[in-house]
């Protein structure tokens, strides 16, 4: 594959039913393309790199992430169009200031493909475009008077679908007002379009550091040789890489699938950071796994893999409640003297309250 072919990949993405003639569609997949109900048509787009990772079988974990089904037009009572209630935390256009010391900036509405489980589906694929120089100036002046902000997350959409020039402009402007800030880049590019990670891009990221890259691998089949090579180049140039998976029914909702994924990531020097419970984004109920089951998977994983390989299982509460860890509780009770714990083998231990 040619190093600079990423723009070609995007240009020739599959976007219609006809572009999928090499796939044998299931009834539910075909029905998506034939939908004529009253809801707005949902967008479909996948580049050929990502679709080539899938086997031509309906239950392939990669296919489930790019091939839509009619289920997406089913909106349940508990689902929301702004599942995280972010609108109330937007002091400047595109900037979300939800937690005291960190802000999130929506750089662009474009992605290298549309993930069928995406919780930002009310944002991606619409027409907000890329952050303008004026919008960026407003963000920078906000940052310059909010010294309590230690970290800025660049998100979207996918920030790495922007040109190198735009990315450099964003990083340099942020750096000029806040040389001390940590920049966290949230991107699925290493997974869905690794050829985008060029030498030039790596140079821009490493010159404007500290930049942390947070990506989203959901299954080990998403890790190609090219991906491994690109991740390695990023880390070699001083850009740490973390992973946030989403727990997805039919993709990775088993102990075996997650064990393989997390162990593989550790071998690639990528730290599994979060495993997210599915957000209540409309039309994604067919992907959601009950929290009960998520907890059961996590407790089995804890017995099988190292702490380094184990992410934090968390949920982003609907209505703007924020992220909370869904940790298992090992403290079974406490009294005036002690805490009482039950360990993973089921044996009981105490730890004193005071020394
Ligand atoms: C997830 C998120 C963050 C970052 O949270 P961490 O727990 O530090 O990863 C910051 N701002 C917003 C709005 C978020 O949704
Ligand atoms: S790349 Fe990220 S923002 Fe874009 S569709 Fe996929 S999950 Fe959503």
């Amino acid at each position: 594959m040619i190093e600079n072919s990423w723009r070609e990949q995007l240009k020739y993405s599959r976007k219609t039913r006809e572009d999928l003639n090499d796939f044998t569609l299931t009834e539910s997949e075909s029905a998506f393309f034939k939908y004529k109900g009253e809801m707005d048509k949902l967008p479909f787009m996948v580049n050929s790199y990502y679709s080539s990772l899938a086997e031509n079988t309906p239950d392939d974990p990669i296919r489930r992430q790019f091939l839509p089904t009619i289920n997406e037009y089913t909106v349940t009572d508990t689902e929301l169009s702004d599942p995280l209630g972010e609108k109330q935390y937007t002091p400047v256009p595109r900037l979300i200031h939800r937690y005291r010391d960190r802000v999130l900036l929506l750089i662009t509405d474009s992605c290298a493909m549309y993930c069928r489980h995406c919780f930002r589906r009310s944002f991606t694929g619409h027409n907000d475009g890329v952050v303008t120089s004026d919008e960026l100036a407003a963000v920078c002046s906000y940052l310059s008077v909010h010294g309590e902000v230690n970290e800025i997350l660049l998100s979207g959409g996918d920030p790495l679908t922007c040109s190198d020039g735009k990315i450099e402009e964003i990083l340099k402007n942020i750096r000029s007002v806040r040389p001390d800030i940590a920049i966290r880049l949230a991107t699925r590019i290493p997974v869905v379009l690794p050829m985008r990670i060029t030498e030039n891009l790596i140079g821009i990221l490493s010159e404007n550091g500290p930049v942390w890259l947070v990506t989203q691998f959901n299954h080990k089949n998403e890790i190609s040789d090219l991906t491994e090579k690109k991740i390695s180049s990023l880390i070699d140039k001083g850009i740490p890489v973390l992973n946030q998976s989403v727990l997805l029914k039919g993709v990775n909702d088993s102990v075996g699938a997650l064990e393989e994924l997390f162990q593989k990531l550790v071998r690639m020097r990528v730290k599994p950071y979060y495993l997210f419970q599915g957000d209540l984004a409309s039309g994604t109920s067919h992907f959601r796994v009950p929290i009960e089951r998520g907890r059961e998977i996590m407790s089995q994983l804890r017995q099988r893999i190292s702490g380094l390989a184990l992410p934090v299982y968390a949920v982003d509460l609907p209505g703007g409640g924020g992220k909370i860890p869904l940790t298992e509780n090992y403290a079974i009770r406490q009294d005036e003297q002690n805490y009482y714990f039950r360990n993973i083998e089921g044996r009981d231990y105490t730890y004193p309250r005071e020394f």
Side-chain angles (χ1 to χ4, degrees), residues 146-344:
H146 285 267
E148 78 275 18
V149 175
N150 288 314
E151 196 175 316
I152 182 165
L153 281 73
L154 307 181
S155 184
D158 198 319
L160 293 186
T161 56
C162 295
S163 66
D164 287 1
K166 191 75 202 181
I167 293 164
E168 188 163 30
E169 180 198 346
I170 293 165
L171 297 178
K172 286 215 180 321
N173 275 281
I174 293 171
R175 277 279 162 256
S176 73
V177 288
R178 292 292 304 276
D180 57 319
I181 208 166
I183 298 176
R184 196 197 304 182
L185 193 67
T187 173
R188 254 208 124 181
I189 285 288
V191 186
V192 301
L193 193 65
M195 54 285 282
R196 167 67 187 101
I197 304 168
T198 57
E199 285 299 308
N200 195 53
L201 177 67
I202 296 174
I204 291 167
L205 300 181
S206 67
E207 278 158 29
N208 293 284
V211 171
W212 291 65
L213 194 146
V214 181
T215 191
Q216 185 200 126
F217 288 101
N218 292 325
H219 195 274
K220 72 151 191 349
N221 294 3
E222 293 176 321
I223 303 168
S224 68
D225 292 346
L226 184 65
T227 291
E228 274 199 67
K229 198 178 115 208
K230 298 294 185 178
I231 295 266
S232 199
S233 313
L234 284 162
I235 299 173
D236 289 347
K237 289 278 159 55
I239 301 153
V241 181
L242 307 179
N243 188 66
Q244 299 185 158
S245 300
V246 186
L247 182 59
L248 297 170
K249 194 195 273 177
V251 173
N252 60 13
D253 60 332
S254 73
V255 176
L258 290 174
E259 178 178 12
E260 280 182 327
L261 172 65
F262 298 150
Q263 288 183 333
K264 174 80 186 163
L265 289 171
V266 167
R267 286 199 295 274
M268 289 162 62
R269 297 179 282 168
V270 175
K271 165 66 188 154
Y273 174 42
Y274 278 127
L275 171 66
F276 283 120
Q277 172 64 18
D279 287 312
L280 298 175
S282 29
T284 59
S285 63
H286 54 297
F287 279 120
R288 281 197 290 276
V289 177
I291 288 181
E292 198 71 26
R293 173 70 185 140
R295 285 198 145 132
E296 191 185 302
I297 293 174
M298 283 302 290
S299 75
Q300 288 187 40
L301 283 173
R302 186 171 291 281
Q303 299 180 41
R304 296 165 76 115
I305 63 178
S306 74
L308 190 60
L310 198 70
V312 173
Y313 179 38
V315 62
D316 217 330
L317 293 173
K323 288 189 187 67
I324 57 154
L326 294 166
T327 36
E328 309 125 88
N329 200 357
Y330 294 95
I332 48 180
R333 69 189 173 90
Q334 61 192 63
D335 58 24
E336 271 163 33
Q337 284 82 43
N338 289 309
Y339 288 102
Y340 298 87
F341 295 99
R342 181 156 297 156
N343 77 359
I344 52 173

Side-chain angles (χ1 to χ4, degrees), residues 111 113-115 117-120 124 156-158 188 216:
C111 294
M113 66 169 275
Y114 293 136
C115 310
H117 56 276
C118 180
F119 73 90
R120 287 201 189 280
T124 53
D158 198 319
R188 254 208 124 181
Q216 185 200 126

